[in-house]
Amino acid sequence: MTDFIRQIFMLALSVFEGFCMDRLFQAFVSPRWSGLRWSTGIIGAVWVLYHGICLWQNWAFYPSSVWNLTVYLCVLFGTALLWYRGGILLKLFLVVQFAAIHELSIWAANSLIAVHMQVLEMLGNGVQQQVLSLSAFMSFVTISNVALFLAVGALREGMTYCFIRRIVKAGRFPRRFEKNILPYLLPAAASVLVAFFIRLLMLAVENSVTVTLYARYPQVSFLIPLLAVILLLANSFSFEMFQNMAAFEQQRTEKLVLENQVSSLKNSIAEMESVYDSVRSVKHDMKNHMLILRTLLDEPGSGCEAKAYLEQLYPLVEQMDTHIRTGNAVADVVVNAKFQYAKKTIPDIRFDAEDFVVPDTIAVKAYDIGIILSNGLDNAVEACQNLRRKEPDAEAEIVLRSFWKGNMYFLEIENSFDGVFVMEADGEYPRSTKPDPDEHGIGLKNIRSCAQKYAGDMDCIVKGRHFILSVMLKGT
């Protein structure tokens, strides 16, 4: 009966261990084939199979077995590779993290064994002093061994679940630590190495007799569980600390993005005010100009003077005209302002926006269109300026176009550049040439932020010495 209870309980612990593993993994990666509903059951079955084979083959199951931990890590990593999606480094971190939590939970739970040994020693003294009968002592030993087995297993898996829950709750930025995995991996790897050392030292042979570390040094029976708990707390706290740092960095980036958007909005407003000032100025002087023309035309023989006056008036009127019309007032102002700035700073630049249209029916706010165009064209103009500084005779051009694919609206800005294209360390954005590191990638982050508001995204494409910024937005 006792063996049956042990086997059923070990079966339940194996299923729960698989549940804990799957809970940790699914917080950061997803299963390859099965849905979330069945993944936990399958992983639980794998763990039952693994522990069943260990028992069936009578393989060393005592925590002092180093090779058992090695096989355990291999089974964990193999399961992660076969069953879950995601990068190798991320899976390695999850495997080491789970192994660290589970191993340290084993050694923390073993504190109950030390307590049990102390209790048995006290009761044994009671038997020697005839305070307790031998039959009562033997009955207590039988019952307490079963209770100890159940308590150690329950405490081990309970601690595993609690600390995995802390990691899952703290894991808010999986993409960030996947790209910088080392600070997260080191504490967990150190914990696993400590577990290896404990296993190596746990058993020793003295005078042809196997002696445990607890028997040789009784105080270790309390120090090892204490060390395990400290490492568990340090491991979880370090993970939470790094995730809080990632949250702070993201908030800082979002603040810079917001400040850049406000700056772009202010620039757009200033550009619109400049256009309206020109219109008001020309309109204010129009009556006077018309009066002068009428006077010149009324005088005989003054046709040449009237023609010359009209030629002088034409540039003033031309300032009121927008060379590029997109169908959207905000887009017109931004594109024309950037076009005028590009003409002043880059001689003979070619600016083409014939295939760029922003229809009235598009479900994208004018503000977001303005942010995308302002940041995208600023980067394009800056790239052309850098090209001309390096190669004064190089051809510089900026092409703006748009098109539809289904209900998705695509906006593309293509520009010449010097051909030097290097991605940032995180692989998300091209490396900026701006001197201030805090400004690197802010414009592209603004664009991506706007695109994601409309179920879209942004992509950077390089074709020879041409750079294409492609922005996809849900337009209907």
Side-chain angles (χ1 to χ4, degrees), residues 13-33:
L13 290 181
S14 300
V15 173
F16 189 76
E17 186 180 334
F19 163 76
C20 290
M21 176 198 167
D22 191 61
R23 179 177 172 82
L24 176 65
F25 273 71
Q26 285 202 29
F28 303 96
V29 292
S30 58
R32 288 184 185 276
W33 300 289

Side-chain angles (χ1 to χ4, degrees), residues 324-328 331-332 353-360 362 369 400-404 409-411:
I324 300 171
R325 294 182 178 86
T326 66
N328 181 279
D332 287 348
E354 291 183 2
D355 296 328
F356 179 64
V357 177
V358 183
D360 294 333
I362 192 169
I369 290 288
L400 190 59
R401 55 179 171 263
S402 63
F403 55 91
W404 288 86
Y409 176 76
F410 286 80
L411 186 158

Side-chain angles (χ1 to χ4, degrees), residues 462-474:
V462 175
K463 292 184 177 180
R465 289 165 63 91
H466 280 251
F467 178 86
I468 303 173
L469 173 69
S470 180
V471 184
M472 180 181 68
L473 307 149
K474 187 175 181 180

Side-chain angles (χ1 to χ4, degrees), residues 122-134 136-138:
M122 291 173 58
L123 294 177
N125 293 332
V127 172
Q128 291 179 357
Q129 297 173 6
Q130 297 183 351
V131 175
L132 182 69
S133 66
L134 180 61
F137 176 75
M138 295 305 297

Side-chain angles (χ1 to χ4, degrees), residues 158-173:
M159 292 183 67
T160 300
Y161 173 78
C162 290
F163 281 97
I164 283 177
R165 186 180 177 185
R166 285 178 65 96
I167 296 294
V168 170
K169 187 177 179 180
R172 293 169 289 174
F173 305 99

